[in-house]
Amino acid sequence: MTDGSLHTEQALRVRTDNDNLYLEHRSSGDWSPVFGSPLADIEQVQRRYTEYNGRWVWVTESLPATQSEMK
């Protein structure tokens, strides 16, 4: 987060709209939110992938610009 804190969630999907980031998981065929926050409060998002040998790989995702940054 931009305030220096860390927030960890287990989610299957990352989604954004114009100003917000959502982490979601799938249950009974529907997507439901796990976490949501304004994009302006997010410094970076990292995904963890597990390779075939069991090793974890962390990938930093690109975040879209917020509407206020585009003006």
Side-chain angles (χ1 to χ4, degrees):
M1 307 295 285
T2 55
D3 66 1
S5 66
L6 297 175
H7 192 92
T8 302
E9 288 291 343
Q10 184 173 349
L12 293 175
R13 177 166 88 168
V14 176
R15 182 174 63 86
T16 61
D17 60 18
N18 289 337
D19 295 306
N20 299 293
L21 173 119
Y22 305 98
L23 301 179
E24 301 174 328
H25 67 87
R26 194 169 180 105
S27 178
S28 302
D30 292 323
W31 290 102
S32 57
V34 176
F35 174 77
S37 180
L39 280 170
D41 294 345
I42 306 292
E43 183 174 333
Q44 71 177 9
V45 172
Q46 289 186 311
R47 290 183 189 235
R48 185 187 84 192
Y49 294 94
T50 304
E51 293 191 338
Y52 293 112
N53 63 4
R55 189 174 72 104
W56 291 349
V57 176
W58 290 93
V59 177
T60 301
E61 297 287 333
S62 298
L63 293 174
T66 63
Q67 289 295 319
S68 59
E69 289 174 347
M70 293 170 45
K71 293 179 182 177

